[in-house]
C-alpha cells in the first residue's frame, strides 16, 4: 500500500460511524442534543506523496434529540431528526505510520423532521476534522478507524443553528 505513489492517483474513502451532537438555536435559546449517525464519502486524487485533495459528501443525523430551553431540560422529541449535509473540499495527509489527518470545509444544509414532516431547511457553512489510522488489507485498500469533530453554522428565517459533533468512524479507503 504505497501512499507515496506517483501523483494523480485516485483516492476514495467511505466512512460510517456513530457519535453525539448538540445544536444551539442562538436566536430562540433552544438546544437539541443526542446521539447521531454519520456517513461520508471522499473522492479525489494525490497531489504529492502522502497528500491528497478531495471532495466530500457527508451526512450527520441526530435522532430523537433531547430539548433544553434557556438551559432547562424540557424533554425528548420522539420520531424526530435533525440532519446536516455537508458538501466540501478537503485535504488528507498521511504520516509514515499510516496515521492520517483530514480537514474539510464546505457548504452545510440542515433539515429538521418532526413526525415525518420536514420543516426548516437552513443553509450555511461547516468544517470537519478527522484523525485516523488505517491498516493495509490488500492491494491499494486500507481499513481503519477515525475520530471526527465537526462544526456547522446555518441560518434561516428567524433561526441560527450552531452545531458541534464528535463521531467514531470505521473507514474503507482506496489510495
Amino acid at each position: 500500500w504505497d501512499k507515496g505513489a506517483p501523483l494523480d492517483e485516485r483516492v476514495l474513502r467511505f466512512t460510517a460511524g456513530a457519535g453525539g451532537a448538540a445544536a444551539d438555536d442562538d436566536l430562540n435559546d433552544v438546544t437539541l442534543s443526542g446521539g447521531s449517525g454519520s456517513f461520508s464519502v471522499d473522492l479525489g486524487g494525490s497531489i504529492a506523496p502522502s497528500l491528497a485533495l478531495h471532495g466530500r459528501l457527508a451526512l450527520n443525523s441526530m435522532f430523537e434529540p433531547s430539548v433544553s430551553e434557556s438551559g432547562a431540560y424540557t424533554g425528548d422529541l420522539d420520531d424526530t431528526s435533525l440532519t446536516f449535509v455537508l458538501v466540501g473540499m478537503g485535504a488528507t495527509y498521511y504520516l509514515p505510520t499510516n496515521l492520517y489527518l483530514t480537514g474539510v470545509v464546505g457548504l452545510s444544509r440542515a433539515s429538521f423532521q418532526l413526525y415525518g414532516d420536514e420543516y426548516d431547511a437552513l443553509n450555511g457553512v461547516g468544517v470537519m476534522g478527522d484523525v485516523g489510522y488505517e491498516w493495509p488489507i490488500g492491494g491499494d485498500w486500507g481499513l481503519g478507524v477515525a475520530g471526527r469533530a465537526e462544526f456547522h453554522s446555518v441560518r434561516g428565517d428567524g433561526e441560527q443553528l450552531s452545531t458541534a459533533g464528535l463521531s467514531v468512524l470505521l473507514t474503507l479507503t482506496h489510495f
Side-chain angles (χ1 to χ4, degrees), residues 4-132:
L7 303 182
D8 299 326
E9 287 212 7
R10 287 184 290 265
V11 176
L12 176 65
R13 176 180 294 129
F14 299 98
T15 70
D24 291 322
D25 182 343
D26 299 331
L27 300 177
N28 297 309
D29 203 16
V30 174
T31 301
L32 302 177
S33 60
S36 64
S38 183
F39 173 81
S40 68
V41 62
D42 296 347
L43 180 60
S46 61
I47 61 167
S50 300
L51 179 63
L53 292 181
H54 49 81
R56 174 174 284 179
L57 174 62
L59 175 93
N60 187 322
S61 193
M62 184 185 339
F63 298 98
E64 299 187 358
S66 298
V67 179
S68 299
E69 292 185 48
S70 301
Y73 172 77
T74 59
D76 295 334
L77 292 174
D78 295 331
D79 198 20
T80 300
S81 66
L82 175 61
T83 301
F84 284 85
V85 175
L86 178 126
V87 176
M89 290 300 298
T92 296
Y93 181 75
Y94 278 88
L95 299 167
T97 60
N98 289 347
L99 183 74
Y100 69 87
L101 307 169
T102 298
V104 177
V105 63
L107 302 175
S108 289
R109 182 173 177 88
S111 60
F112 184 72
Q113 289 191 345
L114 181 62
Y115 303 114
D117 294 326
E118 186 169 322
Y119 287 91
D120 300 329
L122 311 172
N123 298 301
V125 297
V127 296
M128 293 181 167
D130 300 355
V131 175

Side-chain angles (χ1 to χ4, degrees), residues 120-165:
D120 300 329
L122 311 172
N123 298 301
V125 297
V127 296
M128 293 181 167
D130 300 355
V131 175
Y133 185 88
E134 293 180 332
W135 294 269
I137 59 173
D140 293 330
W141 289 94
L143 185 65
V145 295
R148 175 175 292 161
E150 62 185 279
F151 305 93
H152 303 270
S153 180
V154 294
R155 293 178 176 216
D157 295 333
E159 294 177 280
Q160 178 180 339
L161 286 180
S162 299
T163 302

